[in-house]
Amino acid sequence: MLSIDAIERRHSTRLFSKKKVSNEKLNKFIFAASLAPSSHNKQPWFFQKVINKEYIDKIADLNEKNKWVRTCENMIAIWSGEKELSDNDLLSLGAAIENLLLEATANEVQSCWIGGVQKKEVAKILKGKDVEYELIALIALGYEKIKLQPKMKKNIEELII
């Protein structure tokens, strides 16, 4: 799949089938994320595969708006080892996450960048205690239960100033 195809097809999925994403594909998505540009080549990221359904369900229960997370079988947690993140570090992390999302789409795996995450509580679930890494994001991954069409985006003429 060409990159523009993945960009056009990528959308947030909140209803997944029970089919798990293979470990090989999860590794491929993490590899794609690791290739993102980063300020001063700091590569301020670490990735954790979350395949324990008990952990996923506990994370879903932390926020009423995220109950849908129970439908996914796989997640990737993105962490940073930096004590203080600069704006450039955050941009680098965002680029890594976008690479991950696009690689998933290119491999026919749907995703959702999860909002409303209580980072300290999630860190305790995933690591069992306070950790030296800061949780940056959680990505739900899986196969769509119901095929959705991507939402309409603004016309290019509306975006150019």
Side-chain angles (χ1 to χ4, degrees):
M1 172 185 306
L2 297 174
S3 62
I4 193 67
D5 295 331
I7 292 167
E8 289 177 337
R9 287 190 27 246
R10 196 219 59 79
H11 62 277
S12 294
T13 297
R14 290 181 181 83
L15 184 59
F16 296 95
S17 73
K18 294 287 181 196
K19 182 179 176 184
K20 290 185 179 273
V21 178
S22 71
N23 191 53
E24 178 184 16
K25 283 190 177 180
L26 293 174
N27 286 341
K28 202 173 177 182
F29 306 159
I30 291 169
F31 177 70
S34 76
L35 296 176
S38 68
S39 179
H40 303 288
N41 199 30
K42 280 173 67 176
Q43 303 174 54
W45 44 64
F46 297 94
F47 304 93
Q48 179 183 10
K49 293 180 266 189
V50 183
I51 56 174
N52 181 321
K53 188 65 172 144
E54 182 182 329
Y55 290 175
I56 291 169
D57 291 346
K58 284 180 180 179
I59 291 166
D61 291 341
L62 290 174
N63 183 331
E64 189 64 36
K65 292 181 180 179
N66 287 339
K67 294 294 184 193
W68 63 267
V69 169
R70 285 181 163 273
T71 71
C72 82
E73 299 289 325
N74 312 270
M75 291 177 146
I76 293 180
I78 295 90
W79 302 83
S80 177
E82 300 294 317
K83 297 240 186 260
E84 291 189 28
L85 293 168
S86 69
D87 289 345
N88 287 336
D89 292 334
L90 292 171
L91 291 169
S92 300
L93 286 155
I97 293 166
E98 183 68 8
N99 278 12
L100 188 152
L101 297 172
L102 292 175
E103 184 64 22
T105 301
N107 282 272
E108 307 297 330
V109 173
Q110 274 49 64
S111 61
C112 187
W113 190 336
I114 304 169
V117 175
Q118 288 91 349
K119 293 179 179 183
K120 289 186 185 210
E121 289 81 4
V122 171
K124 287 177 185 172
I125 291 168
L126 296 179
K127 295 291 189 181
K129 57 183 170 48
D130 289 330
V131 293
E132 67 272 13
Y133 301 117
E134 181 183 348
L135 180 66
I136 301 301
L138 284 173
I139 308 298
L141 294 158
Y143 299 93
E144 281 181 310
K145 192 169 189 174
I146 300 169
K147 187 132 180 93
L148 299 174
Q149 292 299 316
K151 292 181 181 176
M152 293 299 297
K153 301 294 183 179
K154 290 181 180 179
N155 188 305
I156 189 80
E157 284 77 23
E158 296 177 65
L159 303 174
I160 299 172
I161 55 173

